[in-house]
Amino acid sequence: MKSLLKAVGAIALTGVLALPVLADDAKDQKDLKKVIEDQGINYVETAQKGITLSGYVDTSYTEQFAGRGEYAPGTPFTTNPGGGPANTHAVLRQFDTSNNTFNINAVKIALEKALPDKNDWAAGFRIDTIYGEDAKYLNDTAINGTTNTSGLALEQALVKFRVPVGNGLDIYAGKFVTFLGYEVIESPANLNFSRGLLFTNAIPLTHTGVYADYKFNDTFEAKFGIVDGWNNSTSSSVSTLAGTASENSFGKAITGQLNINAPGKNANITQSFIYSPEGEPGVIGQDNGPVVVYDIWGNWSPKFAESSDPKSGVSDPLLLGFNVDFGYNGASGAPGGFSVPSFNNHNDGTRAVNDSNTWYGAALYAQYKFNKVFSLAGRGEYLHSDSALFPKFGPSGTDDGFAGVSQVPSQDDFSYTLTATFNIWDNLLTRAEYRVDDLCGASTGVATDAGFVSGKSSVQQEVSLEAVYSF
């Protein structure tokens, strides 16, 4: 089986987490083949031998409510892509922002010719398209600009080829999902229905460029690439405080990853980074860089939790995971379109040009499979961002006193999620989820600059039901 997307359905059905590697075209094909064969799921092979078609249909119902049930249309969401009342308390959400609605999250279709297991000259391709509400958050500057209202997104489109040097050097060129993050764009490939704070706010989602993947042995695998930046299919950079593009701008980013597997194959650590020397104006504000993010995540299936009962149908019931992100935007002090009256400190009605935006966060994951039908997964997250006028996320602090406006200096947010998964029907994943976000606002305890209504609760809660059929 050479279809990566089929692994999404199979792993979701068994409750086993595959996470970013499911959306990553460079995953070891042998492991995916075994997963699919164990589940007895057949992919569709096209008339041309070796080209496979696969996908899934993801539907849900979401009900959101604040601590005292307040909803107030306004910044940042005047409307929700999926309909329903706008909820300003959902500002840290990216995919599940609709309240009291039934949702067609995604109809995903993937077409692929995978590289063979044999280390020989070979070529292939992969195309992933998503139609539905999830697609509206997959913007691409070259394809649909900064906003996507069509409900159709090209998630991946790449060609790949192998150079048989050493263990085989695989080259990928085109649009592909990011190396960073524990979670992935495809909801059924994650432990939880909703995407977490870190995935939504701390990292990019897709890149367009080229990268190489080399597997040294069963323990070490490395990737390195050069891309147009965050969620871009065109180079973009700025060279002045006013945001004017320069003909000589580099406008590229470099990204890489190192994955380390434990000898017992029950644990791994993955470290990734992206570095944009001249900034990411389309994501974090129109200003010069550099912008850098370091991401590390890991999984562990403890052997002491292994089931000794062959009738249970579960060999590794317990899965533990973590994710940590550190981000830095080196020149967020003077975004384009704003004048800089002086270079003073930011307590005198001016904005300091050397102010910086940093963000960091951590997430813990756990899943326990009671049997082949039922499992529980939990996620706890913390996200912090320092002062910046244009951070990637919504309710983040900005400098004090710029242009005479009192603004909060930082933002601390917490999120807790519990997800129950049921695998009753073949190829059908069903989940029920409860999530609480505590958007704590500024370090001073005041959240007036974070899109909240004064005097109202900053606690966001959500109950979700999901059904996904994979083919």
Side-chain angles (χ1 to χ4, degrees):
M1 164 61 181
K2 295 185 175 69
S3 172
L4 293 181
L5 186 61
K6 192 53 58 181
V8 174
I11 293 176
L13 288 171
T14 57
V16 178
L17 178 66
L19 297 167
V21 293
L22 283 172
D24 187 352
D25 202 54
K27 171 66 180 173
D28 183 9
Q29 297 296 319
K30 293 182 180 179
D31 293 343
L32 299 181
K33 181 178 179 181
K34 183 179 184 301
V35 170
I36 301 306
E37 289 176 347
D38 289 346
Q39 295 304 311
I41 300 176
N42 296 320
Y43 60 86
V44 178
E45 185 164 305
T46 64
Q48 186 171 348
K49 184 175 178 58
I51 297 180
T52 59
L53 177 69
S54 56
Y56 64 80
V57 179
D58 182 3
T59 65
S60 69
Y61 175 81
T62 51
E63 176 71 29
Q64 297 177 347
F65 48 96
R68 288 176 287 176
E70 304 92 343
Y71 297 99
T75 304
F77 294 123
T78 56
T79 60
N80 280 322
N87 186 355
T88 60
H89 296 271
V91 284
L92 288 180
R93 303 292 185 85
Q94 187 166 14
F95 293 93
D96 56 324
T97 60
S98 298
N99 172 54
N100 189 23
T101 60
F102 293 97
N103 312 294
I104 304 299
N105 301 315
V107 178
K108 173 160 180 172
I109 301 295
L111 191 65
E112 180 186 30
K113 185 178 189 303
L115 296 176
D117 295 334
K118 183 180 179 181
N119 183 15
D120 200 355
W121 296 97
F125 72 94
R126 183 176 176 94
I127 301 172
D128 294 73
T129 61
I130 293 180
Y131 178 79
E133 294 173 31
D134 286 359
K136 297 179 180 180
Y137 301 98
L138 301 177
N139 305 326
D140 190 309
T141 54
I143 298 174
N144 46 40
T146 57
T147 59
N148 182 2
T149 59
S150 66
L152 179 64
L154 183 64
E155 181 190 14
Q156 293 194 111
L158 53 87
V159 295
K160 46 191 175 180
F161 53 93
R162 176 171 296 151
V163 180
V165 295
N167 296 328
L169 178 65
D170 294 341
I171 308 295
Y172 299 79
K175 184 177 182 181
F176 50 89
V177 296
T178 186
F179 299 158
L180 285 69
Y182 187 81
E183 301 178 27
V184 294
I185 293 172
E186 293 83 357
S187 175
N190 296 320
L191 285 178
N192 309 101
F193 158 69
S194 62
R195 285 69 159 190
L197 297 180
L198 299 188
F199 178 76
T200 300
N201 301 293
I203 63 173
L205 298 182
T206 61
H207 309 292
T208 299
V210 61
Y211 76 91
D213 183 354
Y214 187 80
K215 188 174 181 179
F216 295 90
N217 48 46
D218 291 338
T219 301
F220 297 99
E221 181 178 3
K223 304 172 188 175
F224 184 83
I226 180 169
V227 299
D228 281 332
W230 291 32
N231 311 323
N232 294 330
S233 289
T234 56
S235 295
S236 61
S237 64
V238 292
S239 58
T240 70
L241 297 179
T244 303
S246 169
E247 295 178 347
N248 300 321
S249 295
F250 176 64
K252 294 289 186 291
I254 57 174
T255 184
Q257 182 183 87
L258 176 63
N259 182 61
I260 304 173
N261 293 313
K265 297 185 178 180
N266 67 323
N268 76 289
I269 293 287
T270 300
Q271 302 179 76
S272 305
F273 78 93
I274 184 169
Y275 173 62
S276 303
E278 297 182 3
E280 290 291 347
V283 178
I284 313 181
Q286 295 184 2
D287 52 10
N288 296 334
V291 171
V292 60
V293 179
Y294 170 75
D295 175 274
I296 181 172
W297 64 269
N299 276 326
W300 179 38
S301 297
K303 292 187 178 296
F304 64 77
E306 291 181 353
S307 175
S308 58
D309 182 7
K311 296 182 180 180
S312 68
V314 178
S315 58
D316 299 309
L318 180 62
L319 176 68
L320 303 174
F322 77 93
N323 189 196
V324 176
D325 283 303
F326 299 93
Y328 172 73
N329 180 14
S332 62
F338 288 85
S339 61
V340 182
S342 70
F343 295 90
N344 307 10
N345 290 329
H346 48 80
N347 292 320
D348 60 353
T350 64
R351 189 175 187 81
V353 72
N354 293 323
D355 289 343
S356 65
N357 173 30
T358 59
W359 62 95
Y360 53 84
L364 296 176
Y365 300 82
Q367 181 190 60
Y368 191 83
K369 294 172 286 182
F370 293 87
N371 49 52
K372 62 181 181 180
V373 174
F374 175 67
S375 64
L376 275 178
R379 176 181 62 201
E381 290 189 282
Y382 165 72
L383 175 65
H384 171 89
S385 71
D386 286 335
S387 57
L389 190 61
F390 291 124
K392 184 171 186 282
F393 10 93
S396 181
T398 57
D399 278 353
D400 299 332
F402 176 58
V405 178
S406 177
Q407 298 172 329
V408 296
S410 62
Q411 177 81 19
D412 293 284
D413 304 295
F414 299 85
S415 180
Y416 312 95
T417 307
L418 182 65
T419 307
T421 299
F422 304 89
N423 299 311
I424 301 173
W425 301 272
D426 290 342
N427 291 33
L428 181 67
L429 166 73
T430 56
R431 295 194 286 197
E433 180 172 292
Y434 175 67
R435 172 171 171 171
V436 179
D437 289 340
D438 187 358
L439 312 182
C440 298
S443 58
T444 59
V446 180
T448 57
D449 195 48
F452 298 115
V453 179
S454 177
K456 294 190 176 182
S457 174
S458 62
V459 175
Q460 156 95 30
Q461 301 180 64
E462 179 179 86
V463 175
S464 308
L465 300 175
E466 181 188 30
V468 184
Y469 187 88
S470 302
F471 58 90

